[in-house]
Amino acid sequence: MARLDDSAGHYRALYDTAKAGLPGLGLDWLERLRAEAIERFAATGFPTARTEAWKYTNLQRLARTTARLAPAGRVDAARLAPWTLGDEAARLVFVNGRHDPELSRLPALPAGIEVTTLGRTLDADGDSLRDRLGRQVALDERRLAALNTAFMTDGIVLRLRAGVTVPGPIHVFHIATGDAAPFMVPPRNLILAEAGSAATVVESFVDAGGGAYWTNAVTEIAVGANADIRHVRVQAEGREAHHVGLVEVRVERAGCYRALLLSTGALVARNEYHVILDGEGAEAEIDGASLLDGRRHADATTVIEHRKPHGRSRQVFKNVVDETARAVFQGRVLVAVDAQKTNAHQLSRSLLLAPGAQADAKPELQIFADDVKCSHGSTVGALDATALFYLRSRGIDAPTARALLIEAFVTELIEDWPTGAVRDHIGAVLRSALRREPGGTGPAA
Amino acid sequence: MLSIRNLHATVDGRPILKGLSLEIAAGEVHAIMGPNGSGKSTLSYVLAGRDGYEITAGEVVFKGRDLLELEPEERAGEGVFLALQYPVEIPGISNLTFLKAALNAIRSYRGEAPLDAMAFLKLSREKARLLEMDDKLLQRAVNVGFSGGEKKRNEIFQMAMLEPALAILDETDSGLDIDALKIVSAGVNRLRAPDRAILMITHYQRLLSDIVPDRVHVLADGRIVASGGKELALELEQKGYAGLGIKDNAAAA
Ligand SMILES: Nc1ncnc2c1ncn2[C@@H]1O[C@H](COP(=O)(O)OP(=O)(O)O)[C@@H](O)[C@H]1O
Ligand SMILES: [Mg+2]
């Protein structure tokens, strides 16, 4: 099969020049993993629209770009301010994919909570990650994650011992900057939560003038029995950037993974979640909002596999799409034959604010068990004219009424979140994105 | 206060109001009765400024201004309030957030300073108490999960908060039980004042014994076909529209 791009050759050559500079040099298992990963990627290159899972999201422009590995970059601390949230238990900042200790804050945490960075861990204590790093990523199926694996350099490593609760959100900033575009940033995070532990992790992907860079992020999360992990991803990148993010999650018995995705897109953004409910009574909640304008494109793709009985999953995705932007939601739920008494619900709702705006939803249920409750629904429409009139008839002017209705449509997502710094932050990010504040999509400074 | 002269309005090119005239002076309460489909709700929407109605002839003057050239929010600022026949549910916006935005928008239109959170809360508690509205309803999303009666009461609560110069009540009494009707009527009667006017659309004489109108009009096929004092409502109740020689679409439907 002829390919229009030579991305395979390009990234293979890039790997050959870069590998001696990647962390964990000299670890056999890691070298084998990286080598296998680049071969897996090179065998197929970038996915095309011919692949069902990529039929709505076109990466051909990215595939034709000869990106280099992100060079070191610097950002001013003031650039972080609008994105900072209160009560942070720790803040780890990665500029162009590399840990920046000066911008980070890592106070002492209670025993049993270990927060480190991937680069340093691989160099100093790499074998401690041997049986964990890359374990949840099927390199043959997720070829961009394979590319990330070949180049992975830095990110957060969070290890929670049984029963510990992290006293506040852990904030992971990924910031792209500099005029060296096109370049690739390959963040890689690993979250290992033992039985009964609990944490909230907020990841922010922010563009500080990175131009036509691309983020290729992978986060692996293992949620132990009865553990409770909340994971917020704020993906707010520039109009020239690409973002491909994969979150791979495995949840054990009665554990719970809750995700909230807020995407203002990029030129093209794809945020993918693959969650395996691998123990009885395991739960997953994935909610998302894409707020898009201009020519932005955001694709949220989820795959939830129910493998054991009494599992529960719930997904609500909301899109607000303006101008000629496009939102995509693909949600696949698989219920294995053993996963009786599964409860799985999925809803996607899109609000189109302009005639050129577009939203696609593709729900897919594959159910092999017979005693389950599964549902899905999707709606696409304009703002409700009757509601708009109702507000205006009470004195509220048309732009304000419209803004109130749009905000209400989206903030419904966080009504069930516990009150506190994270919820306040999410609300602020949402409102700011809806107001289209200058400088892009950040909360008001 | 309100002069409607020879008003003609169409929906999708279909004439609905066909030369309607009505004068309401400040301090008066008028009732409009009429068969289903005669154009009562259409009149209320045209007065409130809803999209989708084309005015093909006639004029509406409110407090000396051409009402029809104003946006819905400007009409609210001028003091027009419509209690909808079917109040709208708005998920995600609490009743109080909605009302605070409305009240302060209207104050701003009139060049008044916004009410602060404390003053607003005090006012809303006071008005809610008068209408025996549960505090929980104030916190809930606008009309979402409200019973039919609660929705209607919520309209009157909004009216009490916004204190309009002209209140148009479109079948606010439908769907209310006797007790709720008493509370709502009391709320409307409290609003009666020399500088205000009320236009009540109703099917039932029942409401008119609680809120005694100065004038009663019968609307049929887009026109006022009969006007009189409060006894006209009683006569209608006894003889029906047919008794007055008016075709009742509802009976035929
Ligand atoms: N939005 C609309 N689209 C089409 N027809 C309408 C619309 N609104 C009202 N009508 C028609 O206009 C007529 C008057 O309706 P309405 O004003 O609701 O009557 P009433 O309130 O007196 O029962 C009816 O025949 C109704 O079907
Ligand atoms: Mg009606």
Side-chain angles (χ1 to χ4, degrees):
Chain A
M1 179 171 67
R3 276 210 306 272
L4 295 172
D5 63 86
D6 185 30
S7 57
H10 167 67
Y11 283 99
R12 201 200 309 256
L14 186 64
Y15 177 69
D16 286 337
T17 37
K19 64 182 176 189
L22 297 172
L25 195 64
L27 295 170
D28 285 350
W29 62 270
L30 183 60
E31 265 170 43
R32 277 196 305 277
L33 179 62
R34 290 192 193 276
E36 185 197 344
I38 192 68
E39 287 316 314
R40 291 288 187 187
F41 172 75
T44 46
F46 279 81
T48 67
R50 281 190 295 271
T51 309
E52 181 65 18
W54 288 88
K55 77 173 186 187
Y56 298 110
T57 296
N58 188 332
L59 295 181
Q60 292 320 294
R61 182 160 161 181
L62 180 61
R64 286 194 301 272
T65 303
T66 50
R68 53 189 191 122
L69 207 50
R74 289 181 61 84
V75 295
D76 202 55
R79 195 66 184 72
L80 304 186
W83 300 95
T84 314
L85 54 130
D87 298 340
E88 287 174 355
R91 178 193 307 163
L92 288 107
V93 181
F94 299 90
V95 179
N96 287 3
R98 268 164 245 231
H99 182 224
D100 185 325
E102 273 173 41
L103 295 175
S104 301
R105 267 203 336 218
L106 193 51
L109 290 166
I113 302 169
E114 194 189 340
V115 183
T116 56
T117 56
L118 181 69
R120 186 175 307 169
T121 308
L122 285 175
D123 281 334
D125 181 26
D127 280 329
S128 71
L129 299 180
R130 179 187 181 126
D131 296 321
R132 310 310 302 258
L133 188 62
R135 273 308 160 108
Q136 291 175 223
V137 180
L139 297 177
D140 50 344
E141 286 169 28
R142 319 258 165 197
R143 44 184 103 161
L144 295 170
L147 188 64
N148 167 286
T149 302
F151 289 97
M152 59 187 169
T153 308
D154 222 343
I156 183 180
V157 178
L158 171 63
R159 286 181 272 208
L160 303 175
R161 283 284 151 72
V164 300
T165 296
V166 183
I170 294 178
H171 196 175
V172 186
F173 269 98
H174 306 277
I175 302 180
T177 190
D179 48 14
F183 59 84
M184 173 178 73
V185 186
R188 180 71 169 236
N189 304 308
L190 183 62
I191 298 172
L192 305 170
E194 289 183 8
S197 61
T200 297
V201 176
V202 178
E203 284 190 86
S204 301
F205 294 88
V206 180
D207 186 342
Y213 70 95
W214 77 291
T215 299
N216 179 7
V218 174
T219 299
E220 289 178 274
I221 304 178
V223 182
N226 293 301
D228 190 343
I229 298 298
R230 286 178 186 265
H231 182 205
V232 179
R233 291 175 95 245
V234 177
Q235 188 265 313
E237 292 170 282
R239 294 178 193 281
E240 294 173 77
H242 278 75
H243 179 104
V244 178
L246 173 67
V247 182
E248 278 282 351
V249 187
R250 230 187 69 136
V251 187
E252 290 179 46
R253 187 182 47 77
C256 183
Y257 172 72
R258 289 194 185 87
L260 182 67
L261 167 69
L262 304 180
S263 173
T264 55
L267 179 63
V268 179
R270 157 91 156 205
N271 290 286
E272 183 166 345
Y273 291 82
H274 179 205
V275 181
I276 299 174
L277 299 179
D278 211 8
E280 205 162 314
E283 291 185 31
E285 283 183 11
I286 309 182
D287 292 339
S290 292
L291 313 175
L292 309 174
D293 64 6
R295 297 169 50 227
R296 290 168 179 273
H297 176 111
D299 168 336
T301 292
T302 64
V303 180
I304 297 185
E305 294 187 38
H306 287 265
R307 290 191 179 166
K308 297 283 159 60
H310 296 285
R312 196 181 73 88
S313 69
R314 201 206 64 174
Q315 304 178 70
V316 181
F317 279 80
K318 301 249 179 134
N319 301 311
V320 179
V321 194
D322 204 353
E323 291 161 339
T324 57
R326 184 178 185 191
V328 175
F329 172 67
Q330 307 187 95
R332 191 143 66 97
V333 175
L334 291 144
V335 182
V337 67
D338 286 342
Q340 298 294 2
K341 306 284 182 191
T342 285
N343 206 313
H345 298 285
Q346 184 191 87
L347 177 67
S348 90
R349 296 185 59 200
S350 299
L351 197 52
L352 303 182
L353 301 180
Q358 192 180 342
D360 301 282
K362 193 179 81 168
E364 211 181 330
L365 299 180
Q366 290 177 290
I367 302 170
F368 300 102
D370 50 22
D371 185 13
V372 300
K373 277 206 186 93
C374 296
S375 71
H376 68 80
S378 94
T379 64
V380 179
L383 266 187
D384 179 5
T386 311
L388 200 55
F389 166 70
Y390 193 50
L391 265 62
R392 294 180 71 191
S393 78
R394 298 300 183 251
I396 301 168
D397 65 58
T400 308
R402 228 172 263 127
L404 273 173
L405 289 175
I406 295 169
E407 187 179 320
F409 173 78
V410 179
T411 50
E412 227 188 332
L413 277 183
I414 53 171
E415 274 175 2
D416 293 339
W417 270 68
T419 51
V422 175
R423 180 176 158 150
D424 292 349
H425 180 69
I426 299 165
V429 169
L430 284 173
R431 277 185 288 276
S432 151
L434 291 172
R435 282 197 301 268
R436 311 243 179 100
E437 271 159 11
T441 43
Chain B
M1 172 174 277
L2 179 73
S3 296
I4 304 173
R5 294 182 202 125
N6 189 33
L7 186 63
H8 287 70
T10 62
V11 177
D12 295 334
R14 192 181 135 209
I16 307 290
L17 300 182
K18 302 169 182 173
L20 188 149
S21 297
L22 189 63
E23 294 283 336
I24 306 181
E28 289 181 348
V29 174
H30 287 222
I32 292 188
M33 306 182 81
N36 273 333
S38 57
K40 303 184 298 294
S41 291
T42 300
L43 171 64
S44 73
Y45 284 139
V46 166
L47 294 177
R50 185 174 180 160
D51 283 343
Y53 298 90
E54 198 191 338
I55 312 303
T56 49
E59 63 173 357
V60 178
V61 177
F62 175 62
K63 294 198 297 189
R65 289 193 66 167
D66 178 358
L67 190 68
L68 299 178
E69 70 169 17
L70 301 180
E71 297 294 334
E73 56 269 31
E74 294 171 323
R75 300 183 195 197
E78 294 292 335
V80 175
F81 178 92
L82 167 61
L84 274 76
Q85 183 175 2
Y86 303 108
V88 183
E89 297 187 6
I90 307 183
I93 303 182
S94 85
N95 234 345
L96 283 184
T97 304
F98 169 54
L99 257 179
K100 189 164 181 223
L103 186 65
N104 282 336
I106 287 174
R107 291 178 68 93
S108 148
Y109 181 90
R110 295 176 187 161
E112 295 162 12
L115 274 195
D116 64 32
M118 288 296 284
F120 173 77
L121 219 59
K122 187 164 170 284
L123 183 67
S124 57
R125 288 233 178 85
E126 192 184 300
K127 301 289 187 187
R129 199 170 318 116
L130 289 175
L131 291 164
E132 297 178 32
M133 288 259 300
D134 192 337
D135 265 3
K136 283 195 203 85
L137 290 186
L138 304 185
Q139 307 291 348
R140 292 238 303 263
V142 179
N143 293 328
V144 176
F146 287 30
S147 71
E150 284 169 343
K151 285 180 181 173
K152 295 299 181 78
R153 207 184 292 195
N154 199 25
E155 294 290 284
I156 299 306
F157 169 60
Q158 293 174 22
M159 181 189 80
M161 291 289 290
L162 301 177
E163 301 191 312
L166 171 67
I168 306 158
L169 312 181
D170 190 0
E171 297 202 28
T172 301
D173 50 338
S174 307
L176 290 182
D177 60 34
I178 299 285
D179 291 340
L181 190 66
K182 287 272 178 237
I183 295 164
V184 163
S185 305
V188 175
N189 280 327
R190 261 192 302 274
L191 197 76
R192 289 182 89 149
D195 56 348
R196 296 216 175 94
I198 296 169
L199 179 60
M200 283 188 298
I201 294 167
T202 180
H203 269 305
Y204 307 104
Q205 141 71 19
R206 204 177 58 165
L207 178 70
L208 303 182
S209 57
D210 288 324
I211 309 168
V212 182
D214 298 294
R215 300 283 292 165
V216 174
H217 311 275
V218 179
L219 177 60
D221 195 23
R223 260 181 292 247
I224 302 289
V225 294
S227 294
K230 58 180 188 283
E231 25 355 290
L232 180 58
L234 271 174
E235 197 183 336
L236 262 179
E237 180 118 311
Q238 281 153 13
K239 300 183 185 165
Y241 293 111
L244 291 180
I246 296 161
K247 200 169 111 225
D248 187 346
N249 301 335

